[in-house]
């Protein structure tokens, strides 16, 4: 093939290259905001994080830094990244071809020469593009988009010299000046400057290792394979180069077996050299190819020393990758073995051993789902957002928090902790001190109690049901045992944190107490029997009035302030409903003299109607009344006129 034959190939590529330059450098028809938006999207994608684009600790990248000047390319722009990736493919070819052309003259004066010209043309374009690429100042991490600054930075540093030197077509210069393909070894050696481009491959692998879209294991494995193949190729070619330049050729490693190896085909010599390189790399050789002169012996010694380091590097990396994939399994087995030794040493029952093993296995199976382990290093705002996304709907369905404000629920959800329990595991033990209560997210649990050593089933709880809240709210030992029926996920709320939030939000606290009392009224008789104090408590309480009744009472309270029959001032909250007003009742006439013991009254919550008040007074005082009097003898006809701590006489 003659030199002019490469012109059609260059002519074919030129329009595409010019088009790319027109897009990358002269974006006259593309608004600057489009480039900014594209660059911002690339920068904000956590999947393609690169250490070269991350700000230094404690520094802030201002939004103004994203407004680039005209004809400036952002280093994180998607199009420029694709261009760099394309060049990596050309670098791989250059690394393979430059060593091959040095060794085999037939390869150097063939079609590879013209392919090299095209590849060098692409890298020449990249040199021009580099003068338009902004860079980050490492001192303050500001994106520098001044043409003079990053052009001066590129010219005054070592990169420009090496990029230009690796792009000069030395084989073509050799052809023009000497006009012989087999001479000019100096130019062939200078052609090895193209190996400088290999740094681009290293940068690519650095980005891929930090890119979460790609498997770290396969990325590292591909890197090891590339390093091994390049080492095998380079050693084989250089070893053949030594034999081809040695005289007589019979005193060489390949000439001893193949006397006319120089007249053989290109692929014959290449395959022999690669075979020798692989055998030497993986072992000490089979003996058919060995050193015949001092130069080959020196090269073999250096290569085998290099192989020691390369093999250690490969084995160490592969071992690290394999160990990383099974380290969790090793940790789980060690923990289980420790549990078994502990159970055997202390002669624990078989049931306890099974529970301990089930808990350990579940812990490792759900390790990536444990809220504490995953969220402990995140800021509180992010943890709060994640907790709201995961647990808001479940907490909102829970009976205790129905009707509370969104702010209270948001604070509560942020403090929740997720836990997993295997089947047949006690979440709450009867008579234990209440430190937390639980909301069931998924699964099912049984509520049981123990009487005289006998287990009694009380109820079954499912998703959005609560357990342990009775002990927490009443501050008493847990009255029931709660045991899982199957694999269950729960969210735990601390007793201390819950009470702090309720005390700071009085309105939400009243709603929670009302919901809790309503829940207690709906408990089954079996559960009420286990809580004898609830019977009297529920008798004193009554159903909360509706919002309409509360508004009516507020209006009547305002109207009756001036005509208070007792002459006492209204110091209570006018928004209190009848069910939250406490009064003291007596079973005699206010003017009647009784002994001191009979003068003691009963403190009750005011019910909603006079009939209910008579019924409650009969239960508390032991006799039925027909009239309600105040301390001054005036008769009460409407309960809405009563105030907190009024004294009522039922006669």
């Amino acid at each position: 093939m003659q030199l002019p034959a490469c012109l059609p190939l260059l002519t074919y590529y030129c329009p595409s290259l010019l088009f790319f330059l027109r897009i990358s450098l002269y974006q006259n028809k593309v608004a600057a905001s489009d480039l900014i938006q594209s660059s911002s999207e690339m920068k904000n994608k956590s999947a393609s994080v690169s250490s070269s684009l991350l700000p230094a600790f404690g520094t802030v990248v201002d939004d103004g830094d994203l407004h680039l000047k005209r004809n400036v390319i952002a280093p994180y722009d998607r199009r420029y990244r694709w261009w760099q990736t394309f060049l990596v493919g050309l670098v791989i070819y250059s690394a393979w071809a430059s060593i091959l052309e040095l060794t085999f003259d037939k390869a150097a004066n063939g079609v590879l020469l013209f392919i090299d010209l095209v590849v060098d043309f692409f890298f020449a374009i990249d040199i021009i593009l580099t003068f338009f690429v902004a860079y980050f100042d490492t001192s303050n991490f500001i994106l520098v988009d001044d043409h003079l600054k990053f052009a001066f930075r590129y010219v005054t540093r070592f990169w420009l010299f090496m990029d230009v030197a690796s792009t000069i077509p030395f084989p073509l210069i050799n052809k023009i000046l000497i006009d012989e393909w087999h001479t000019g070894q100096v130019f062939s050696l200078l052609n090895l400057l193209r190996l400088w481009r290999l740094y681009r491959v290293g940068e690519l692998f650095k980005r891929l290792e930090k890119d979460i879209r790609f498997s770290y294991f396969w990325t590292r494995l591909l890197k090891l394979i590339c390093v091994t193949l390049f080492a095998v190729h380079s050693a084989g070619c250089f070893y053949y180069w030594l034999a081809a330049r040695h005289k007589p050729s019979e005193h060489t490693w390949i000439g001893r077996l193949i006397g006319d190896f120089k007249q053989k085909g290109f692929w014959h010599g290449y395959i022999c050299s690669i075979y020798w390189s692989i055998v030497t790399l993986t072992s000490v050789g089979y003996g058919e190819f060995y050193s015949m002169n001092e130069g080959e012996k020196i090269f073999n010694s250096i290569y085998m020393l290099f192989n020691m380091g390369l093999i250690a590097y490969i084995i160490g990396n592969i071992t690290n990758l394999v160990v990383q994939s099974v380290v969790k399994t090793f940790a789980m087995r060690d923990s289980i073995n420790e549990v078994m030794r502990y159970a055997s040493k202390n002669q624990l029952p078989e049931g306890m051993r099974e529970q301990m093993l089930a808990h350990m296995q579940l812990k490792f199976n759900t390790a990536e789902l444990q809220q504490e382990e995953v969220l402990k290093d995140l800021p509180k705002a992010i943890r709060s957002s994640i907790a709201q996304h995961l647990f808001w709907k479940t907490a909102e369905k829970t009976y205790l928090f129905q009707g509370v404000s969104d702010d209270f629920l948001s604070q509560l959800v942020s403090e929740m902790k997720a836990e997993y329990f295997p089947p047949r595991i006690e979440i709450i033990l009867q008579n234990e001190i209440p430190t937390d209560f639980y909301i069931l997210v998924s699964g099912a649990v049984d509520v049981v109690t123990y009487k005289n050593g006998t287990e009694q089933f009380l109820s079954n709880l499912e998703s959005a049901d609560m357990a342990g809240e009775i002990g927490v709210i009443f501050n008493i030992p847990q009255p029931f045992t709660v045991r899982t029926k199957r694999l269950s996920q729960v969210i735990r709320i601390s007793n201390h944190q819950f009470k702090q939030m309720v005390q700071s939000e009085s309105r939400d606290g009243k709603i929670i107490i009302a919901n809790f009392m309503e829940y207690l009224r709906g408990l089954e008789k079996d559960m009420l029997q286990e809580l004898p104090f609830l019977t009297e408590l529920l008798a004193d309480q009554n159903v909360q009035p509706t919002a309409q009744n509360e508004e009516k009472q507020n209006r009547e309270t305002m109207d009756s302030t001036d005509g208070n029959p007792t002459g006492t001032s209204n110091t209570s909250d006018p928004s209190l409903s009848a069910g939250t007003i406490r009064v003291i009742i007596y079973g005699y006439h206010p003017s009647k003299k009784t002994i001191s013991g009979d003068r003691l009254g009963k403190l009750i919550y005011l019910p909603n109607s006079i009939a209910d008040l008579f019924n409650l007074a009969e239960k508390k005082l032991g006799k039925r009344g027909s009239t309600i009097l105040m301390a001054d003898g005036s008769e009460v006809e409407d309960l809405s006129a009563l105030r907190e701590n009024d004294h009522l006489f039922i006669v």
Side-chain angles (χ1 to χ4, degrees):
M1 180 181 294
Q2 300 298 325
L3 182 62
C6 68
L7 294 178
L9 185 62
L10 296 177
T11 306
Y12 174 78
Y13 280 105
C14 281
S16 300
L17 299 176
L18 294 176
F19 177 73
F20 179 84
L21 284 173
R22 191 177 295 111
I23 294 178
S24 301
L25 302 178
Y26 307 103
Q27 302 174 8
N28 297 328
K29 296 183 180 180
V30 179
S33 59
D34 293 338
L35 180 59
I36 294 171
Q37 181 179 3
S38 175
S39 302
S40 302
E41 291 175 357
M42 276 301 294
K43 187 175 182 181
N44 294 330
K45 283 187 178 180
S46 61
S48 57
V49 175
S50 174
S51 61
S52 62
L53 300 181
L54 293 178
F57 183 77
T59 60
V60 178
V61 179
D62 188 33
D63 292 340
D65 296 334
L66 300 178
H67 298 281
L68 302 179
K69 294 182 179 179
R70 185 180 181 84
N71 297 332
V72 174
I73 303 174
Y76 44 76
D77 185 83
R78 182 184 295 107
R79 292 162 293 180
Y80 185 70
R81 282 293 182 89
W82 277 109
W83 168 252
Q84 293 295 319
T85 305
F86 168 70
L87 291 182
V88 168
L90 300 184
V91 169
I92 295 175
Y93 163 78
S94 297
W96 174 81
S98 59
I99 300 177
L100 195 70
E101 292 169 358
L102 172 67
T103 306
F104 300 96
D105 295 337
K106 294 182 179 180
N109 58 20
V111 69
L112 293 182
L113 173 66
F114 305 108
I115 298 178
D116 291 343
L117 293 177
V118 176
V119 172
D120 291 338
F121 182 66
F122 278 108
F123 282 102
I125 293 175
D126 184 68
I127 294 176
I128 299 174
L129 287 179
T130 306
F131 284 94
F132 297 89
V133 178
Y135 71 95
F136 286 96
D137 189 347
T138 56
S139 61
N140 51 20
F141 209 81
I142 295 178
L143 185 64
V144 179
D145 59 350
D146 188 284
H147 288 85
L148 293 178
K149 288 184 178 181
F150 52 73
F152 180 78
R153 175 175 177 264
Y154 185 49
V155 170
T156 56
R157 305 187 75 168
F158 188 65
W159 293 321
L160 176 62
F161 172 77
M162 292 303 299
D163 287 344
V164 172
S166 62
T167 308
I168 297 175
F170 289 105
L172 181 61
I173 296 175
N174 177 46
K175 167 65 178 177
I176 296 175
L177 296 180
I178 302 177
D179 198 23
E180 292 184 7
W181 293 106
H182 61 279
T183 59
Q185 291 298 315
V186 175
F187 289 100
S188 298
L189 291 174
L190 289 176
N191 198 38
L192 293 180
L193 290 174
R194 289 189 292 177
L195 296 178
W196 157 258
R197 302 167 181 170
L198 285 173
Y199 80 90
R200 298 175 183 266
V201 180
E203 294 294 330
L204 175 65
F205 276 108
K206 286 182 180 179
R207 291 200 301 268
L208 292 179
E209 289 173 0
K210 298 175 183 178
D211 196 327
I212 62 175
R213 295 172 296 181
F214 300 96
S215 170
Y216 178 77
F217 176 85
W218 293 110
T219 302
R220 292 286 297 177
L221 188 61
L222 179 62
K223 181 179 180 180
L224 295 176
I225 294 174
C226 292
V227 170
T228 304
L229 292 179
F230 181 72
V232 168
H233 171 74
S234 301
C237 289
F238 279 120
Y239 202 46
Y240 185 91
W241 182 81
L242 290 175
R245 268 75 185 165
H246 189 273
K247 294 181 180 180
S249 60
E250 291 79 8
H251 291 171
T252 60
W253 64 275
I254 190 173
R256 185 182 63 87
L257 297 178
I258 308 173
D260 58 343
F261 69 93
K262 294 183 180 180
Q263 284 70 38
K264 295 287 185 179
F266 153 69
W267 287 108
H268 183 271
Y270 183 70
I271 291 174
C272 289
S273 60
I274 293 299
Y275 169 77
W276 168 87
S277 181
I278 294 176
V279 170
T280 307
L281 177 67
T282 56
S283 63
V284 294
Y286 293 144
E288 66 272 54
F289 293 120
Y290 55 86
S291 304
M292 293 292 295
N293 53 69
E294 292 181 355
E296 292 177 351
K297 291 179 181 179
I298 294 174
F299 180 81
N300 261 334
S301 300
I302 297 174
Y303 183 51
M304 284 186 286
L305 289 175
F306 169 77
N307 287 345
M308 293 174 60
L310 180 61
I311 293 298
Y313 171 76
I314 295 174
I315 294 178
N317 277 269
I318 293 180
T319 302
N320 185 35
L321 294 176
V322 173
V323 169
Q324 283 183 351
S325 63
V326 297
V327 64
K328 293 183 179 180
T329 303
F330 288 157
M332 182 188 71
R333 294 184 66 89
D334 291 341
S335 300
I336 291 177
N337 290 333
E338 291 178 2
V339 169
M340 294 298 295
R341 286 195 297 267
Y342 177 84
S344 177
K345 183 177 180 180
N346 294 276
Q347 298 181 357
L348 298 180
E350 188 65 26
M352 290 186 181
R353 297 187 185 187
E354 293 179 357
Q355 290 183 353
M356 295 169 66
L357 290 177
H359 176 75
M360 295 301 299
Q361 291 176 350
L362 181 64
K363 175 183 176 181
F364 284 98
N365 291 335
T366 60
E368 68 278 5
L369 301 176
Q370 294 296 330
Q371 188 183 24
E372 290 290 337
E373 297 296 329
V374 176
L375 305 181
K376 64 180 180 180
D377 295 329
L378 296 178
K380 185 176 181 180
I382 298 179
R383 294 199 307 267
S384 177
S385 301
I386 294 174
Q388 292 180 26
H389 175 75
L390 295 176
F391 307 133
W392 181 282
K393 293 183 179 179
T394 301
E396 194 177 27
K397 295 178 183 178
T398 306
Y399 80 89
L400 193 63
F401 306 124
Q402 291 183 0
V404 299
S405 63
D406 291 343
D407 293 338
F408 178 85
L409 196 60
S410 176
Q411 296 178 20
L412 185 68
V413 169
S414 301
E415 301 297 336
M416 293 179 176
K417 312 298 181 184
E419 291 187 16
Y420 291 84
F421 291 92
R424 305 294 299 172
I425 293 295
E426 282 77 13
I427 301 177
I428 299 175
L429 294 176
Q430 188 174 348
N431 296 324
E432 73 174 353
I433 301 300
T435 57
D436 305 274
F437 64 94
Y438 303 85
I439 299 177
L440 190 63
V441 178
S442 62
V445 299
D446 288 334
V447 179
V448 300
T449 185
Y450 292 91
K451 288 184 177 180
N452 300 324
T454 303
E455 180 180 303
Q456 179 182 353
F457 173 80
L458 296 178
S459 66
N460 179 46
L461 302 180
E462 296 182 350
S463 179
D465 289 336
M466 301 188 68
E469 77 280 11
I470 295 178
V472 169
I473 294 179
F474 285 125
N475 197 23
I476 60 174
Q478 291 290 359
F480 311 115
T481 293
V482 180
R483 182 190 303 122
T484 59
K485 295 179 61 178
R486 56 179 181 269
L487 178 63
S488 302
Q489 180 190 9
V490 300
I491 45 180
R492 171 170 49 88
I493 307 172
S494 171
N495 178 12
H496 177 69
Q497 293 174 342
F498 173 70
K499 289 185 176 180
Q500 279 188 334
M501 285 185 286
V502 170
Q503 290 174 0
S504 61
E505 301 289 342
S506 59
R507 178 182 175 277
D508 293 318
K510 292 178 182 180
I511 296 175
I512 291 175
I513 293 299
N515 293 337
F516 181 64
M517 297 305 297
E518 186 68 24
Y519 167 75
L520 294 179
R521 293 187 182 93
L523 287 178
E524 299 180 359
K525 293 182 179 180
D526 293 340
M527 299 186 70
L528 289 175
Q529 290 176 359
E530 302 299 323
L531 304 169
F533 66 92
L534 286 181
T535 304
E536 184 176 356
L537 177 64
L538 294 177
D540 293 342
Q541 292 289 336
N542 209 318
V543 181
Q544 296 289 339
T546 60
Q548 293 81 0
N549 292 336
E550 185 176 350
E551 294 176 358
K552 177 181 178 182
Q553 185 217 357
N554 292 339
R555 290 194 300 269
E556 293 176 353
T557 299
M558 298 297 295
D559 295 339
S560 61
T561 301
D562 297 336
N564 190 347
T566 61
T568 59
S569 62
N570 181 16
T571 60
S572 62
D573 186 358
S575 64
L576 292 176
S577 61
T580 59
I581 297 177
R582 296 176 298 178
V583 296
I584 303 174
I585 60 174
Y586 304 88
Y588 57 88
H589 197 279
S591 61
K592 182 179 179 181
K593 295 182 179 181
T594 61
I595 60 177
S596 59
D598 295 336
R599 296 187 63 85
L600 296 178
K602 301 288 186 180
L603 180 63
I604 65 170
Y605 284 98
L606 187 65
N608 290 333
S609 64
I610 293 179
D612 292 336
L613 180 57
F614 283 134
N615 294 333
L616 184 57
E618 182 180 5
K619 181 178 180 181
K620 293 292 185 180
L621 303 175
K623 58 181 179 180
R624 181 77 177 182
S626 59
T627 304
I628 304 174
L629 301 177
M630 300 294 291
D632 59 356
S634 59
E635 183 177 352
V636 178
E637 295 182 353
D638 191 352
L639 297 183
S640 62
L642 299 179
R643 301 293 179 267
E644 182 79 8
N645 295 326
D646 278 348
H647 296 261
L648 305 181
F649 298 87
I650 312 298
V651 296

